[in-house]
Amino acid sequence: MFGSRAYVQKLVQDVRSSYWFIPSALVFAALLLSELTQWIDHNPDMLPVGLPDDFLDTQVDGARQTLAVIAQSIIGVTGVMFSITMVAVSFASGNFGPRLIGNFMRDRGNQISLGVLISSFVYCLMILRAVQSSGSDGLESFVPQYSMLVALMLMLMSVGTLIYFLHHIPETINVSNISADLGRRLENRIERLIDNHADRNEEPAQVPAKDAVETELSLGHAGYIQQLDLDALSDMAEQNDWVIDVNVDIGGFVSSHETVLTVHSASAPTPEMCDKVCACFAVGEEQTEAQDITFMIDQLVEMAARALSPGVNDPFTAINCLNWLRNGLSTALQYKGGLHPTSRPRVQYRSLTVLQLLNISFRAAAPYCMADKMARDHWMFCVRSLLDAAMGEDKRNVSKLLEDFDKHYPEAD
């Protein structure tokens, strides 16, 4: 299972969203750089062009003090900076929802800032140990001059990183930026989903034989479906003349013994085949955005709901979230003809539809918006604009949403 494509994709997503990968890579690069610059200091004749003597006149005591001051300052600033980060994350999760913590963990600016500072600190320590004084044992004094210049450049880079970080942190906890980032990612993922559907040729669904053996499979452990390799399922179904019914949605929670799919086959699949089928699922402790578009919608709805709670009473944040939800739904309705259900001949699964997006976005947000006049009026404006953009069955679904709104909230008129 751990060699499956779904698991590898999950691992890649976990690494990309981790807070340790980029800093660790930069620390490793700093170690290599320190070895390279020390080699250059021992072999300066290898350089095609030398530097003026004014750049290479640091003495032993001056080099040690300079490197020590740089290293101490950088590690001190790093501790303060990321104490600020933890405060910002705690503030954002408390006010906008704990599920937004992942957005801060994935923030490339924060990861690179940490990496630059820590790697500069490590580089200075590695060069500091290379500085040696002359002694009675016959050792000659040695100052890695070129390495010192690189250390000073890293110090200037660290100062720039500090300035950038102090500007970046307030931006990351700005509610407008948080909702805009979610909204843009939602739009991009819907466009990508529609493009993927457009590339697939529609084929009629295969019907299981009446005497087919039904084998129900569970994953054996609980969690959220983070990855589902539908291509691998389709290939196995085609090779073995199966029809597979997938009973769960990407992003849904499954229990240890819950049936996730049913295999219809002429004979019961072997245990090895069952393991390969189950390996197409990757399960984790939390929802992710990797294949789950609905998770981003849920975050926007959660932000709107918290903003409209009696303790906060911030209709402007809710309106901002509704705007980005409307943008995502408009993309699903209008981009390249809109989002339409798709199917695979031998793998039956619940494809994402505009109706589902409507239900988890505007229908889910309606009870919170109805208590505030500004939010209620803007909710109506957004849904009516979607009604104007919709066609065919989608138009009927949006119209039904408005009818239900009038039925349950007649006072809104």
Side-chain angles (χ1 to χ4, degrees):
M1 178 177 292
F2 294 107
S4 68
R5 187 162 54 186
Y7 179 80
V8 171
Q9 291 172 344
K10 176 185 181 301
L11 183 61
V12 170
Q13 290 296 328
D14 290 344
V15 169
R16 290 181 61 187
S17 62
S18 68
Y19 218 63
W20 56 264
F21 178 73
I22 290 180
S24 300
L26 290 178
V27 167
F28 181 71
L31 293 173
L32 295 179
L33 179 62
S34 67
E35 293 297 325
L36 175 61
T37 56
Q38 289 179 65
W39 180 84
I40 292 175
D41 281 308
H42 286 289
N43 303 275
D45 296 336
M46 299 295 293
L47 293 176
V49 179
L51 294 176
D53 293 339
D54 291 341
F55 289 90
L56 307 172
D57 60 354
T58 306
Q59 303 303 310
V60 172
D61 291 340
R64 284 176 172 161
Q65 292 176 8
T66 300
L67 290 170
V69 168
I70 293 175
Q72 292 172 1
S73 301
I74 287 176
I75 200 64
V77 167
T78 303
V80 173
M81 283 174 55
F82 287 91
S83 296
I84 296 173
T85 301
M86 293 302 103
V87 172
V89 169
S90 299
F91 169 82
S93 63
N95 286 272
F96 309 131
R99 291 190 292 180
L100 291 171
I101 291 178
N103 297 322
F104 293 93
M105 299 296 291
R106 287 188 293 269
D107 188 275
R108 288 289 182 265
N110 292 344
Q111 294 177 6
I112 293 174
S113 296
L114 176 62
V116 168
L117 292 172
I118 297 297
S119 60
S120 299
F121 167 75
V122 169
Y123 179 86
C124 290
L125 289 185
M126 296 299 295
I127 302 305
L128 181 59
R129 61 187 290 273
V131 179
Q132 63 183 30
S133 305
S134 58
S136 57
D137 54 359
L139 291 176
E140 296 183 358
S141 62
F142 174 71
V143 177
Q145 302 288 353
Y146 288 97
S147 299
M148 284 292 301
L149 289 176
V150 174
L152 291 174
M153 288 189 289
L154 289 176
M155 179 269 295
L156 294 175
M157 185 184 300
S158 299
V159 172
T161 301
L162 173 61
I163 295 172
Y164 162 79
F165 186 82
L166 295 177
H167 170 75
H168 182 66
I169 279 295
E171 284 192 328
T172 59
I173 61 175
N174 183 296
V175 64
S176 297
N177 292 335
I178 295 174
S179 58
D181 183 53
L182 282 170
R184 291 193 182 96
R185 295 207 306 271
L186 173 62
E187 178 184 8
N188 292 335
R189 297 303 292 275
I190 291 176
E191 289 179 352
R192 192 184 310 171
L193 181 62
I194 294 174
D195 290 336
N196 291 339
H197 288 180
D199 294 338
R200 189 183 311 126
N201 295 325
E202 291 296 328
E203 299 180 37
Q206 295 286 334
V207 179
K210 293 182 179 181
D211 58 347
V213 177
E214 294 186 0
T215 306
E216 296 182 345
L217 299 179
S218 59
L219 300 180
H221 52 278
Y224 291 94
I225 303 294
Q226 294 183 345
Q227 296 280 345
L228 173 55
D229 193 346
L230 288 169
D231 290 335
L233 278 180
S234 296
D235 292 341
M236 283 188 286
E238 187 69 32
Q239 293 168 6
N240 297 283
D241 194 22
W242 294 345
V243 175
I244 299 176
D245 291 335
V246 179
N247 304 323
V248 295
D249 297 324
I250 298 175
F253 184 86
V254 295
S255 59
S256 300
H257 304 289
E258 178 180 351
T259 299
V260 296
L261 57 80
T262 303
V263 177
H264 304 270
S265 56
S267 60
T270 65
E272 292 77 11
M273 290 179 175
C274 292
D275 289 341
K276 288 183 179 180
V277 171
C278 291
C280 295
F281 294 81
V283 178
E285 288 74 26
E286 60 183 3
Q287 289 178 272
T288 66
E289 301 174 7
Q291 290 186 341
D292 186 12
I293 291 177
T294 63
F295 183 54
M296 288 173 278
I297 296 177
D298 290 341
Q299 291 179 81
L300 286 169
V301 172
E302 182 179 1
M303 287 180 62
R306 284 174 172 265
L308 293 171
S309 63
V312 179
N313 192 24
D314 180 13
F316 295 99
T317 295
I319 288 172
N320 197 25
C321 294
L322 291 175
N323 285 332
W324 286 109
L325 287 172
R326 177 168 68 95
N327 179 69
L329 267 294
S330 296
T331 302
L333 289 169
Q334 297 178 301
Y335 179 73
K336 292 186 177 180
L339 177 65
H340 301 291
T342 60
S343 62
R344 295 169 184 256
R346 293 184 174 273
V347 178
Q348 313 302 321
Y349 64 98
R350 293 190 287 267
S351 180
L352 191 65
T353 63
V354 173
L355 176 60
Q356 184 180 354
L357 296 181
L358 278 172
N359 288 335
I360 64 174
S361 57
F362 284 95
R363 188 179 293 276
Y368 307 101
C369 295
M370 295 311 108
D372 184 273
K373 186 178 186 309
M374 291 179 61
R376 181 173 65 243
D377 291 344
H378 198 74
W379 187 95
M380 288 293 298
F381 165 77
C382 291
V383 176
R384 283 171 176 157
S385 68
L386 293 176
L387 182 63
D388 294 336
M391 301 290 290
E393 184 65 25
D394 293 334
K395 196 176 190 71
R396 286 188 289 272
N397 291 330
V398 179
S399 179
K400 180 67 165 52
L401 178 60
L402 283 174
E403 292 175 4
D404 293 343
F405 170 86
D406 292 334
K407 184 187 302 181
H408 291 95
Y409 307 100
E411 68 279 2
D413 295 335

